[in-house]
Amino acid sequence: MTPVSSHAPHGQSALRTVQVLGGGNAGSSAHVRSLAAGLVARGVKVTVCAPAETERIHDFTGAGAEHVDVARSSDPVAVAGLRAACAGADLVHAHGLHASFRAALALSGRRERVPLVVTWHDRVPAEGPRGQLLRVLERRVARAATVMLGTTPGLVDHARRSGARDARLAAVALPGPRPAADPEDTDRRRPKIRAELGATGRPLLIAVGALERQRGHGTLCDAARVWRDLDPVPLVVVAGEGPLRSALQRRIEEEDLPVTLAGRRDDVADLLAAADLALLPGRHEMGSVPARQALHAGVPLVAADTEGIRELAGDAAELVPADDAEALADAVVRLLGDAGRRELLRANGTRQTAGWPTEDDTVAQVLSVYDELTQVRTFV
């Protein structure tokens, strides 16, 4: 696709957009960074509202956008800050459930109606009181959004069931891992990353995801007990933060499991590129950003067999029954001993991602939605 030099016609003010992020999802943050760069290159003014830590990691200002520090909170102070940042915007685009809920609050009660575009990148259903709260938030967001974009057909269907008036499939591309363009650089970086993690001379297994019950880290720890008997013992590195950190760390220490909790990382693509296998044991994965990152990085993926993962990965992943630690352990042991199968999964992943949207495709679709929703703007 040939880039457009300027989106605004001669004599017309540039489109002013606000991108709202919660700061908790590295994949959606990387997507917004890429989207901001593409929009700015086409003459669109972009403001990214996100926590300061997210700006530090993703450098939205380096992409030509303005950054406004907005906390990941729905308290009145944070919402007021977001409302101020959205003043004068032609359109607001929020990414993820919590960010879009805050955006809906910030835009409510305004005299002039500002279009709200919402992108859902993934969804992890919850049960009990938290699940009920999330469903309430989903319905509120779906009804407030002018257009909802979902990264998979399943997410689009869920948006419609939640009350969305206009739900569409999003052409969302995750930026490829930085080393992919330079194989020699990849070869140099891989041993350094493995040494840093303590995986020299042993298999490295990477799991990416928040430390929450639905992500299957308990199943992962159960499987890791089997891997202790391998020689050499594989190291499992979990990139992510969440409320289960203390409980998981206590279990790892008490059972002497070969698992390291690495916390939130800003180099997930590099970690995956250095791994022998990527693991995704969660039973509730829809439009999974970690799965997309793993396939982009060209690492064989072992994942719980869910509709979302089957839809996303096709034959590029080794699928196991959800919540089945024995099946997960067996699949990993089998793959570690079968270089041919690992290479086949890599090849299948390369073929699968080749059909995914490019970053230019993403910008083009988003701009078409923006144009559809915005009226003729004031001439300068």
Side-chain angles (χ1 to χ4, degrees):
M1 176 180 294
T2 302
V4 180
S5 59
S6 176
H7 185 67
H10 178 71
Q12 188 175 352
S13 62
L15 183 70
R16 296 160 297 175
T17 71
V18 173
Q19 307 287 323
V20 184
L21 270 169
N25 187 316
S28 58
S29 298
H31 160 68
V32 169
R33 207 281 183 185
S34 168
L35 178 60
L39 291 173
V40 169
R42 289 157 175 80
V44 177
K45 293 183 177 180
V46 178
T47 298
V48 177
C49 293
E53 177 68 8
T54 308
E55 159 64 15
R56 185 191 68 77
I57 293 171
H58 294 281
D59 188 23
F60 303 113
T61 54
E66 177 187 358
H67 170 252
V68 175
D69 182 11
V70 177
R72 190 177 187 272
S73 170
S74 298
D75 64 46
V77 174
V79 172
L82 183 56
R83 181 178 292 116
C86 292
D90 295 303
L91 180 143
V92 175
H93 188 166
H95 301 260
L97 176 59
H98 295 286
S100 53
F101 176 68
R102 290 195 298 279
L105 289 177
L107 294 177
S108 64
R110 291 184 57 155
R111 187 171 303 171
E112 72 285 4
R113 179 168 175 78
V114 177
L116 173 62
V117 178
V118 170
T119 296
W120 280 352
H121 297 263
D122 58 9
R123 177 176 180 264
V124 182
E127 300 173 352
R130 182 169 182 268
Q132 292 176 354
L133 173 61
L134 291 180
R135 287 190 288 274
V136 169
L137 296 184
E138 288 172 344
R139 289 194 292 270
R140 173 69 184 271
V141 167
R143 291 166 184 168
T146 313
V147 170
M148 293 198 67
L149 302 174
T151 58
T152 69
L155 284 170
V156 174
D157 290 341
H158 183 74
R160 289 171 179 153
R161 290 194 300 270
S162 299
R165 293 166 292 173
D166 186 341
R168 311 177 190 183
L169 187 63
V172 171
L174 286 179
R178 286 175 294 157
D182 186 350
E184 293 184 3
D185 188 42
T186 301
D187 292 340
R188 287 192 298 269
R189 294 163 64 89
R190 194 171 191 267
K192 292 180 181 179
I193 294 172
R194 293 174 70 95
E196 174 211 329
L197 297 173
T200 300
R202 61 194 296 198
L204 175 61
L205 316 179
I206 297 289
V208 180
L211 304 184
E212 299 173 340
R213 192 170 307 279
Q214 297 84 2
R215 296 293 187 179
H217 296 303
T219 301
L220 184 61
C221 287
D222 290 341
R225 286 194 301 226
V226 174
W227 303 329
R228 288 183 306 189
D229 298 329
L230 298 180
D231 183 20
V233 179
L235 173 65
V236 182
V237 173
V238 181
E241 270 299 349
L244 294 184
R245 169 176 268 280
S246 296
L248 288 171
Q249 186 62 50
R250 184 165 55 250
R251 181 178 178 187
I252 290 166
E253 294 172 358
E254 290 175 351
E255 300 181 26
D256 192 26
L257 299 176
V259 178
T260 296
L261 302 182
R264 184 175 288 119
R265 302 280 298 224
D266 61 0
D267 58 348
V268 167
D270 292 334
L271 296 182
L272 288 168
D276 296 289
L277 298 175
L279 308 180
L280 196 65
R283 66 176 298 110
H284 295 299
E285 296 287 349
M286 185 182 292
S288 171
V289 172
R292 291 166 61 85
Q293 290 173 311
L295 296 178
H296 262 298
V299 58
L301 174 64
V302 182
D305 188 0
T306 68
E307 181 180 355
I309 295 300
R310 287 196 304 272
E311 184 180 84
L312 180 70
D315 60 358
E318 189 84 13
L319 301 181
V320 299
D323 301 325
D324 191 331
E326 182 178 355
L328 176 63
D330 288 348
V332 167
V333 171
R334 188 170 61 253
L335 276 176
L336 289 177
D338 190 344
R341 175 63 178 167
R342 294 199 305 273
E343 193 56 41
L344 177 62
L345 287 176
R346 288 192 189 93
N348 290 347
T350 299
R351 187 184 68 250
Q352 188 80 355
T353 59
W356 288 356
T358 66
E359 293 177 71
D360 273 350
D361 292 334
T362 298
V363 176
Q365 186 204 35
V366 166
L367 272 178
S368 71
V369 173
Y370 290 0
D371 281 341
E372 178 185 335
L373 299 182
T374 54
Q375 298 176 349
V376 176
R377 297 176 297 283
T378 305
F379 282 76
V380 295

